[in-house]
Amino acid sequence: MRYWTFVVLMLLFMGCQQEKPSAEPSRFQPFTYEDSEFIGPKSGQVYLPPSYFTDTLRQYPVLYMMDQQNLFFDSLAYGGAAWQIHRTTDSLSSAGQMPEVIIVGVNHAREKRFQEYFPEKPAAGFDSLLEVRVGGTAFSDAYLKFLTQELKPYVDRTYRTKPGKGHTYIGGSSMGGLVSMYAVCEYPEVFAGALCLSTHWPVSLQDDTPEAAQAIIDYFAAHLPKGKRWYFDYGTEGLDQFYAPYQQQVDSILQAQGYQAGQNWMTQAYPGHDHNERYWRERVHLGLRGVIQE
């Protein structure tokens, strides 16, 4: 009898030894926003930085990124390669080259992505072009209202953010870069800066709508706010082959309005780089380091 009592006690002891503390919550937090006043249901993913669940009094800057489908996981990304931006932010923050940051990846509108990201005010004169090319007019103003008036308040209520304009950023590539530029110009009281990779200034895929591209650049010149931080880049292959002349105009506007290269603005050219996530993953670290501040 004593033997069996000993065995039972040993088994109980071993069971206690094998118990593990409950797992830390996932740092990937999917969301769906169903009841927008401005657009249809919108989903995406929030990524929380490494110290989020251990440094429980800390607040974090927030980076809103376009095209969440391509941000984090290769298995979901167009072409099978994601930015894996969370790995870059974690690496940079651990090296002391940028603060830890909450990333809010917002899914694009699929077949209506072009209309969602096309800057609406300068696009107003080109509704017929949009109807022909993509079957509808731009609705980026409604999308930005959703971002600033609905999604941002939800994120600030749900997570430990630094909600002020000095700690809120936006970014994307291609049309996502274009709408990020537009967001800072439309909502300078919300966003401190933008990462605009391979910004799709030409609007069309063949660079055959220069009047639309010029309207967007003229809008930028007229609405560029002071005191923001900007990162622009472009390659030389694929769609990126069209970008240099437009980006040079944008650079001249920034310089004329008091921005200083290497301080609050950077434009970088990448010979040989094409228009895809593999290249954006390779060079986004420069934008993150230059734009995101504590």
Side-chain angles (χ1 to χ4, degrees), residues 7-287:
V7 170
V8 170
L9 289 171
M10 285 298 295
L11 289 172
L12 287 171
F13 177 76
M14 291 170 65
C16 290
Q17 289 293 96
Q18 290 172 359
E19 275 187 12
K20 295 181 179 178
S22 58
E24 185 179 271
S26 173
R27 290 195 284 119
F28 285 101
Q29 308 260 317
F31 69 85
T32 299
Y33 200 100
E34 297 279 1
D35 300 317
S36 173
E37 180 183 346
F38 306 110
I39 58 175
K42 204 68 169 167
S43 58
Q45 188 112 233
V46 175
Y47 177 75
L48 302 173
S51 70
Y52 190 85
F53 292 114
T54 55
D55 193 352
T56 56
L57 297 179
R58 186 173 175 182
Q59 294 175 292
Y60 300 85
V62 182
L63 170 62
Y64 289 83
M65 288 293 294
M66 308 303 100
D67 297 312
Q68 188 277 147
Q69 294 96 323
N70 299 324
L71 282 184
F72 301 116
F73 307 115
D74 289 347
S75 59
L76 300 179
Y78 178 80
W83 294 50
Q84 298 185 6
I85 191 170
H86 58 297
R87 297 183 184 277
T88 304
T89 56
D90 288 356
S91 176
L92 290 173
S93 63
S94 67
Q97 297 181 15
M98 67 170 286
E100 286 190 334
V101 63
I102 294 173
I103 303 171
V104 181
V106 186
N107 288 344
H108 61 67
R110 300 188 182 278
E111 69 277 2
K112 294 184 177 181
R113 176 180 179 270
F114 192 95
Q115 295 148 266
E116 182 177 50
Y117 289 171
F118 192 172
E120 188 168 342
K121 287 184 173 63
F126 302 98
D127 284 349
S128 59
L129 167 68
L130 285 167
E131 288 284 356
V132 170
R133 296 295 177 91
V134 296
T137 57
F139 58 91
S140 55
D141 284 356
Y143 173 63
L144 293 183
K145 287 179 181 177
F146 160 72
L147 278 187
T148 57
Q149 299 178 35
E150 295 177 333
L151 183 59
K152 183 181 185 301
Y154 162 78
V155 169
D156 291 339
R157 287 193 308 269
T158 307
Y159 303 100
R160 297 193 315 276
T161 69
K162 291 183 175 180
K165 67 178 181 180
H167 308 286
T168 305
Y169 304 89
I170 192 166
S173 61
S174 192
M175 293 298 295
L178 203 58
V179 78
S180 297
M181 172 279 295
Y182 187 52
V184 176
C185 292
E186 287 289 292
Y187 292 93
E189 74 281 7
V190 174
F191 298 108
L195 288 76
C196 306
L197 286 77
S198 294
T199 313
H200 193 56
W201 304 108
V203 179
S204 68
L205 298 181
Q206 299 298 324
D207 193 22
D208 56 1
T209 56
E211 68 281 11
Q214 194 59 53
I216 292 171
I217 292 172
D218 290 346
Y219 164 88
F220 181 73
H223 295 84
L224 174 63
K226 303 292 185 184
K228 304 302 175 182
R229 304 185 72 85
W230 298 94
Y231 173 81
F232 295 98
D233 71 17
Y234 58 95
T236 58
E237 304 298 321
L239 287 178
D240 282 38
Q241 69 182 292
F242 303 125
Y243 294 166
Y246 300 109
Q247 189 60 54
Q248 288 162 9
Q249 288 188 61
V250 170
D251 293 349
S252 295
I253 292 165
L254 286 159
Q255 189 172 28
Q257 297 199 26
Y259 280 91
Q260 297 186 25
Q263 294 188 23
N264 49 13
W265 146 56
M266 174 185 292
T267 294
Q268 188 73 33
Y270 290 89
H273 279 213
D274 208 334
H275 192 87
N276 61 53
E277 286 74 18
R278 286 185 175 86
Y279 289 110
W280 299 326
R281 176 173 65 193
E282 183 177 328
R283 64 195 200 227
V284 69
H285 64 96
L286 280 178

